[in-house]
């Protein structure tokens, strides 16, 4: 149907390609370099090797940081999904105070993380809470709460009221309706929110730097390592983390998108 | 009947508990820390200990000391430039996406947004290695004969911060612009075409004005993220790339002047709030009038 592409279309396509290259080059460079040895800043392209991955497996610092990141991530997911869902359920359909509280929940997300992090740092000091993994978990939860809240609230709003009414009509109690009707309908939004929360927590650096004690998470550890200079095993780590993130993206999309599209079509 | 009554009071207690919890969590962990932070900006430091007596000294120092305001302005100019670069690159890309049909449109959109979810620190590191003296960019420029020897133009200075932030934040500009372009009714474009307007005229008179709300929110997003970022200037800025975020952070580290740092943060927060409000104002007023 369409004729030959016009010059303007070609121009737009060229810029889009440029943008894609710009966005993906910082992702591919470390992945590609991870399979080659680097000496004196020059990459030896002749012989691909897995040696950087072997070095990485023996790097206890990194493995400890990875474990910390996972612990923080899982605790953050549990806390933010439980409280985010409760908050969404509470504020769904309620007018009084909702906009104010919603604003407060979104504050840490709108404010630069350096401000949220410093505010928490001073807060923990004032209430006498030592900087530790607990303070990191609280910081992450405060930061990702808005995302989980919003994900669950959007699903609640798209949920048809007739389902709840039908449940009551059939003689179910409030609890039964909640467990058998509302919660199952929210579950995929909760899982999607949980994955997003985990991904955000996995990557959170600024707040963590400020409120962490002696244990550091992976991004913080990486940050410290990179300031000292390059190390080839970072490339291997980078490649692994990127693959892991892609997996998370695919999972999040699987839980969040198909249902929404299905409800839109229905 | 009595059973129903007891569950009612039970539910009453429960809903009271839930209400308290619903308010307590955001208030204790979000509002209170920010309030304490604001109060801190009115305290002062004397020989390494914080004096809990209200003073405007920190704010006076911010406005009168010759160091802080210039860095503050430079940082704002830097972040406005980042927003402009991002929009110049994102607008054509977003426009191209809307010319595509069906599944391709969203597949390509996803492709351009996925880098957002990739680790921030890692991207900064990779960009630094690309821009560096031994980096791919310099090697490519030397290999193609553009440069005779590797240039230090892109490493450890303001240029490096500008380029890195722009690269990191482009996706944040693509999404709002794409959404506003997609919302433009096709009938308007067809009407314009029917009335004899050229493609360029239609774009300038219809598409561009109607997509400005998206551009406004994109600019405000990018600006806010850029000005709040401290990791990028710290990683790629070197000594000459000194931004407001770095001064702010140093007050909490080496300088150990938390109240002054808090006052600097308040200045930063005010700029951020203004940028968000301006973005909202232009993003919304045009949007609702359509």
């Amino acid at each position: 149907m369409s004729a030959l592409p016009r010059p303007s279309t070609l121009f737009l396509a060229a810029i889009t390609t440029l943008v894609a290259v710009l966005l993906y080059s910082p992702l591919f460079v470390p992945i590609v370099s991870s399979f080659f040895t680097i000496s004196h800043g020059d990459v030896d392209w002749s012989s691909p090797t897995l040696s950087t991955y072997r070095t990485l497996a023996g790097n206890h610092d990194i493995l400890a940081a990875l474990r910390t990141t996972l612990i923080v991530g899982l605790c953050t997911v549990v806390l933010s999904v439980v409280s985010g869902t409760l908050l969404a359920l509470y504020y769904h359909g309620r007018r009084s105070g909702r906009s104010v509280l919603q604003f407060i929940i979104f504050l840490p997300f709108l404010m630069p993380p350096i401000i949220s992090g410093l505010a928490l740092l001073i807060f923990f000091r004032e209430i006498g809470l030592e900087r530790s993994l607990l303070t990191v978990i609280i910081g992450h939860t405060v930061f990702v709460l808005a995302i989980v809240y919003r994900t669950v609230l959007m699903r609640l709003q798209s949920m048809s009221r007739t389902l709840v009414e039908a449940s009551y009509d059939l003689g179910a109690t409030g609890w039964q309706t909640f467990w058998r009707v509302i919660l199952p309908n929210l579950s995929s939004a909760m899982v999607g929110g949980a994955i997003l929360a985990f991904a955000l927590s996995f990557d959170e650096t600024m707040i963590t730097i400020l409120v962490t004690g002696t244990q550091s998470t992976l991004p913080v550890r990486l940050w410290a390592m990179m300031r000292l200079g390059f190390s080839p095993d970072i490339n291997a780590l980078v490649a692994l983390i990127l693959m892991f993130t892609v997996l998370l993206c695919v999972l999040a999309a699987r839980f969040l998108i198909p249902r929404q599209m299905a409800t839109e079509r229905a | 009947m009595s059973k129903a009554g007891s569950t009612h009071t039970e539910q009453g207690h429960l809903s009271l508990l839930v209400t308290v919890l619903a308010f307590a969590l955001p208030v204790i962990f979000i509002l209170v820390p920010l309030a304490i932070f604001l109060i801190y900006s009115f305290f002062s430091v004397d020989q390494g200990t914080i004096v809990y007596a209200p003073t405007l000294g920190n704010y006076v120092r911010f406005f009168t000391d010759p160091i802080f305001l210039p860095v503050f302005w430079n940082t704002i100019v830097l972040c406005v430039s980042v927003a402009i670069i991002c929009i110049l690159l994102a607008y054509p890309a977003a426009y191209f996406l809307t010319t595509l049909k069906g599944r391709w449109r969203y597949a390509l959109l996803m492709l351009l947004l996925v880098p957002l979810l990739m680790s921030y620190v890692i991207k900064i590191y990779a960009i630094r290695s690309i821009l560096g003296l031994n980096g791919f960019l310099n090697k490519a420029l030397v290999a193609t004969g553009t440069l005779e020897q590797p240039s230090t133009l892109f490493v450890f200075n303001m240029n490096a911060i500008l380029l890195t932030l722009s690269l990191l934040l482009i996706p944040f500009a693509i999404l709002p612009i794409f959404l506003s372009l997609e919302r433009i009714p096709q009938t308007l474009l067809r009407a314009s075409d029917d009335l004899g307007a050229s493609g360029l005229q239609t774009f300038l008179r219809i598409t561009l004005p109607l997509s400005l709300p998206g551009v406004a929110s994109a600019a405000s997003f990018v600006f806010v993220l850029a000005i709040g970022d401290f990791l990028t200037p710290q990683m790629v800025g070197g000594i000459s790339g000194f931004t407001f975020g770095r001064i702010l952070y140093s007050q909490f580290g080496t300088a150990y002047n938390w109240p002054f740092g808090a006052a600097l943060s308040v200045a930063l927060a005010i700029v951020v709030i203004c940028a968000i409000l301006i973005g909202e104002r232009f993003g919304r007023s045009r949007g609702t009038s359509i």
Side-chain angles (χ1 to χ4, degrees):
Chain A
M1 194 180 125
S2 63
L4 280 171
R6 290 177 302 167
S8 58
T9 314
L10 284 178
F11 171 73
L12 290 173
I15 296 212
T16 311
T17 314
L18 173 73
V19 169
V21 169
L22 287 177
L23 288 176
Y24 278 89
S25 55
L27 305 178
F28 281 123
V29 167
I31 294 181
V32 173
S33 333
S34 75
F35 293 105
F36 298 92
T37 52
I38 301 173
S39 55
H40 309 294
D42 274 321
V43 184
D44 174 17
W45 296 111
S46 54
S47 51
T49 160
L50 286 175
S51 70
T52 53
Y53 290 86
R54 258 174 252 130
T55 326
L56 181 71
N59 192 330
H60 296 290
D61 258 11
I62 283 291
L63 295 178
L66 182 65
R67 218 187 60 213
T68 311
T69 312
L70 293 177
I71 293 171
V72 170
L74 291 177
C75 294
T76 303
V77 163
V78 171
L79 284 175
S80 63
V81 169
V82 170
S83 47
T85 306
L86 285 178
L87 287 173
L89 284 169
Y90 183 77
Y91 288 111
H92 175 56
R94 210 175 289 239
R95 282 278 162 266
S96 63
R98 175 172 154 178
S99 57
V100 176
L101 244 108
Q102 195 153 297
F103 177 70
I104 297 175
I105 294 172
F106 277 95
L107 266 180
F109 214 73
L110 293 172
M111 282 286 126
I114 189 166
I115 293 183
S116 314
L118 290 174
L120 282 171
L121 173 69
I122 290 179
F123 174 68
F124 292 139
R125 201 183 106 121
E126 287 300 311
I127 63 169
L129 192 60
E130 283 284 316
R131 286 195 257 175
S132 63
L133 278 194
L134 177 67
T135 56
V136 175
I137 291 167
I138 293 175
H140 282 204
T141 306
V142 162
F143 178 62
V144 301
L145 187 61
I147 289 294
V148 180
Y149 170 79
R150 202 176 157 71
T151 314
V152 175
L153 190 71
M154 276 169 70
R155 178 63 51 83
L156 265 176
Q157 281 166 345
S158 72
M159 218 176 103
S160 167
R161 275 208 73 78
T162 49
L163 282 176
V164 176
E165 278 159 19
S167 167
Y168 279 122
D169 278 353
L170 293 169
T173 64
W175 276 115
Q176 281 174 321
T177 307
F178 176 73
W179 284 113
R180 302 264 181 97
V181 178
I182 298 177
L183 209 56
N185 268 292
L186 289 184
S187 58
S188 72
M190 284 162 75
V191 174
I195 296 171
L196 285 179
F198 186 80
L200 283 171
S201 161
F202 196 86
D203 195 25
E204 215 305 310
T205 319
M206 194 66 244
I207 296 174
T208 320
I209 287 177
L210 292 169
V211 299
T212 192
T214 47
Q215 285 168 290
S216 52
T217 61
L218 205 53
V220 176
R221 188 89 209 101
L222 272 175
W223 196 61
M225 283 167 74
M226 286 170 195
R227 287 167 77 185
L228 296 175
F230 289 18
S231 142
D233 52 336
I234 290 186
N235 285 329
L237 182 68
V238 166
L240 290 176
I241 292 179
L242 291 182
M243 278 185 258
F244 178 66
T245 334
V246 171
L247 191 74
L248 278 186
C249 295
V250 173
L251 278 176
R254 205 178 121 63
F255 279 101
L256 285 177
I257 293 171
R259 273 289 187 95
Q260 268 166 7
M261 279 189 167
T263 49
E264 266 166 22
R265 265 183 218 138
Chain B
M1 193 67 199
S2 66
K3 197 185 164 209
S6 75
T7 51
H8 254 274
T9 46
E10 239 171 67
Q11 278 187 348
H13 287 305
L14 195 74
S15 76
L16 185 71
L17 184 73
V18 172
T19 308
V20 169
L21 277 178
F23 275 89
L25 191 80
V27 168
I28 292 177
F29 288 107
I30 300 173
L31 206 58
V32 170
L34 285 172
I36 294 179
F37 194 53
L38 186 65
I39 296 169
Y40 246 72
S41 72
F42 294 101
F43 293 154
S44 57
V45 163
D46 188 31
Q47 289 171 348
T49 52
I50 293 161
V51 182
Y52 294 87
T55 163
L56 281 173
N58 294 320
Y59 291 97
V60 173
R61 185 177 164 204
F62 171 65
F63 283 110
T64 53
D65 199 307
I67 299 171
F68 302 107
L69 274 182
V71 177
F72 192 56
W73 287 125
N74 285 344
T75 308
I76 290 178
V77 170
L78 174 86
C79 296
V80 169
S81 318
V82 169
I84 292 172
I85 294 178
C86 284
I87 284 169
L88 288 180
L89 284 169
Y91 197 101
Y95 189 89
F96 180 69
L97 291 184
T98 56
T99 64
L100 298 174
K101 300 230 160 39
R103 190 170 284 186
W104 273 105
R105 180 188 285 201
Y106 296 101
L108 208 60
L109 180 68
M110 277 300 280
L111 195 73
L112 293 182
L113 294 184
V114 159
L116 272 189
L117 291 161
M118 303 294 180
S119 171
Y120 199 75
V121 175
I122 286 173
K123 277 185 292 187
I124 303 176
Y125 156 78
I127 294 172
R128 188 175 78 169
S129 72
I130 292 171
L131 296 177
L133 203 57
N134 266 322
F136 286 73
L137 183 66
N138 263 321
K139 282 193 179 140
L141 288 177
V142 171
T144 55
T146 318
L147 287 179
E148 291 195 350
Q149 55 186 33
S151 159
T152 54
L153 210 58
F154 322 108
V155 68
F156 297 134
N157 54 28
M158 279 291 189
N159 293 339
I161 304 178
L162 182 75
L163 287 172
T164 311
L165 280 176
S166 307
L167 236 60
L168 290 170
L169 299 177
I170 290 172
F172 286 101
I174 293 179
L175 190 60
I177 297 176
F178 172 81
L179 291 176
S180 74
L181 282 171
E182 205 189 26
R183 234 178 277 138
I184 297 174
Q186 290 295 309
T187 46
L188 286 180
L189 304 181
R190 257 176 251 136
S192 168
D193 195 39
D194 283 349
L195 294 168
S198 70
L200 187 66
Q201 278 175 321
T202 305
F203 175 77
L204 289 177
R205 300 266 184 98
I206 297 183
T207 312
L208 188 62
L210 288 179
S211 65
L212 284 182
V215 174
S217 36
S220 125
F221 269 0
V222 172
F223 177 81
V224 166
L225 290 166
I227 203 161
D229 189 14
F230 148 81
L231 299 171
T232 306
Q234 189 78 6
M235 278 277 286
V236 304
I239 299 166
S240 66
F242 215 70
T243 60
F244 195 65
R246 292 178 73 181
I247 289 193
L248 202 167
Y249 184 74
S250 70
Q251 297 302 320
F252 287 82
T254 45
Y256 194 69
N257 190 341
W258 289 17
F260 187 58
L264 294 181
S265 307
V266 171
L268 182 67
I270 289 171
V271 173
V272 166
I273 291 166
C274 289
I276 291 175
L277 288 179
I278 293 171
E280 280 262 301
R281 170 85 183 74
F282 285 98
R284 220 180 254 166
S285 64
R286 303 277 192 103
T288 47
S289 68
I290 295 168

